[in-house]
Amino acid sequence: MPDLAINIAGLHFKNPVTTASGTFGYGDEFLDFIDIGRLGGIFVKAVTGKNRDGNPYPRMAETASGMLNSVGLQNKGVDHFCREIYPRIRDFNTHIIVNVSGSTVEEYVEVAARINELEKIPAIELNISCPNVKLGGMAFGTVPSMAEEVTAEVRKVYKKVLMVKLSPNVTSITDLAKAVVDGGADAITLINTLLGMAIDAERRRPVLSTITGGLSGPAIKPIALRMVWQVHKAVQVPIVGLGGIMNATDAIEFILAGASAIQVGTANFIDPAVSIKIVDGIEAYMDRHKINTVADMVGALRTE
Ligand code: SIN
């Protein structure tokens, strides 16, 4: 039997398949559909310092091979998360990783410090890449000095595994990756969504209330693969890859490009059981190719 276990910055995952923040709720919404204990981990919905109502509707639009969203980090804030959500999910038999978001460095630090106190949360994903908020979000993830600063400030208060989620809306993804590693990131998640827009020609209006939104789904996979491959060559920390992963073959491509683990995002909206099918598909591929461990596949792309 191939061994699907992987290690990210000292944290043991039973397999490399996780679900992307904002596409899988807090995990318990999926209990009727799948055995979530078979997943490597769940990246839960973004948590900010205070309640956020999110952007006005419409904030989703279907596109060719993808979808746009402009949710705007809707959540009830870190107090609510710690009091109401954490007790509900703390004993899941998989890693629960919290996506930490904010508008200011202080807010990121405050949320990270609160999550640090939660015993059963082994890692956070610092979200410096949301394209749908006026303050913070992607603004931190597109300027290397700001990305380094927010990572370094969070590093001072967050004592467990610190992952940073990067935006693809940059000229040089490797500059951003190096900056967050310099700031103390243990691992990098990439990519978040690409800034896009949709237009209703009959009404001569944008489809989304915010005009622009974040594009996800199969349309962005080639860009995500390219960025994972570039970052894998540029930094030493592990990568969690995402961007249009719809099946096990897509997931394997990300691992070959350099990802130690992957996140399934948009595909969850189509098939709530897709992540489990991807675990099984990776195992079947490893069996067929006589690969013993996932680590043997990470970055194993043949380019010569
Ligand atoms: C959103 O809530 O607007 C999406 C989150 C993200 O893109 O990071």
Side-chain angles (χ1 to χ4, degrees):
M1 288 280 280
D3 180 4
L4 268 73
I6 51 131
N7 184 301
I8 294 187
L11 190 60
H12 177 270
F13 287 73
K14 65 183 78 159
N15 65 60
V17 180
T18 69
T19 55
S21 173
T23 68
F24 208 73
Y26 297 107
D28 49 358
E29 296 89 338
F30 283 73
L31 290 173
D32 286 344
F33 300 106
I34 60 169
D35 172 6
I36 59 171
R38 291 201 58 212
L39 293 172
I42 297 172
F43 288 72
V44 298
K45 209 174 152 17
V47 177
T48 53
K50 297 269 177 309
N51 175 72
R52 290 183 67 107
D53 291 337
N55 292 321
Y57 294 91
R59 52 191 196 183
M60 301 275 243
E62 198 168 340
T63 66
S65 294
M67 69 172 231
L68 287 161
N69 91 81
S70 66
V71 173
L73 302 176
Q74 179 179 352
N75 78 104
K76 293 192 169 156
V78 69
D79 277 344
H80 181 265
F81 179 82
C82 295
R83 215 180 40 243
E84 305 289 334
I85 311 285
Y86 176 63
R88 223 163 78 194
I89 64 177
R90 51 172 284 158
D91 292 325
F92 285 165
N93 182 23
T94 185
H95 288 315
I96 302 296
I97 299 172
V98 176
N99 181 284
V100 169
S101 300
S103 304
T104 61
V105 173
E106 292 72 27
E107 185 179 356
Y108 280 105
V109 170
E110 178 205 334
V111 178
R114 294 288 307 279
I115 304 296
N116 188 59
E117 291 163 13
L118 304 179
E119 185 199 342
K120 297 284 185 71
I121 306 287
I124 59 170
E125 177 182 71
L126 199 63
N127 183 357
I128 57 169
S129 44
C130 175
N132 303 324
V133 286
K134 289 201 178 83
L135 290 175
M138 193 174 83
F140 285 104
T142 46
V143 180
S145 59
M146 287 172 73
E148 181 176 345
E149 186 199 340
V150 66
T151 306
E153 290 303 314
V154 168
R155 180 76 286 176
K156 288 179 193 159
V157 300
Y158 191 72
K159 306 301 176 198
K160 299 182 237 177
V161 176
L162 173 57
M163 306 180 177
V164 180
K165 186 169 186 178
L166 296 185
S167 169
N169 301 300
V170 295
T171 309
S172 168
I173 192 71
T174 54
D175 286 353
L176 268 301
K178 286 176 188 161
V180 300
V181 171
D182 288 347
D186 295 311
I188 291 174
T189 307
L190 78 159
I191 60 175
N192 205 325
T193 52
L194 277 144
L195 196 60
M197 66 188 282
I199 290 176
D200 179 340
E202 291 304 318
R203 294 171 54 240
R204 294 197 207 176
R205 296 199 56 84
V207 176
L208 298 175
S209 70
T210 48
I211 305 179
T212 62
L215 180 66
S216 61
I220 72 168
K221 191 184 84 170
I223 299 164
L225 279 176
R226 184 262 295 175
M227 290 190 167
V228 167
W229 177 68
Q230 287 178 321
V231 170
H232 177 66
K233 287 191 299 170
V235 298
Q236 301 300 318
V237 302
I239 296 168
V240 180
L242 77 157
I245 295 177
M246 303 303 282
N247 52 44
T249 305
D250 293 338
I252 290 159
E253 291 171 16
F254 275 77
I255 295 170
L256 293 174
S260 295
I262 60 96
Q263 293 182 359
V264 183
T266 303
N268 292 313
F269 296 121
I270 300 166
D271 176 2
V274 66
S275 49
I276 303 297
K277 293 175 188 164
I278 291 176
V279 176
D280 293 339
I282 293 174
E283 185 171 359
Y285 174 90
M286 291 172 68
D287 223 7
R288 193 155 45 84
H289 287 266
K290 308 213 176 336
I291 299 167
N292 294 325
T293 71
V294 172
D296 293 338
M297 291 187 345
V298 175
L301 185 69
R302 297 181 184 131
T303 53
E304 296 179 0

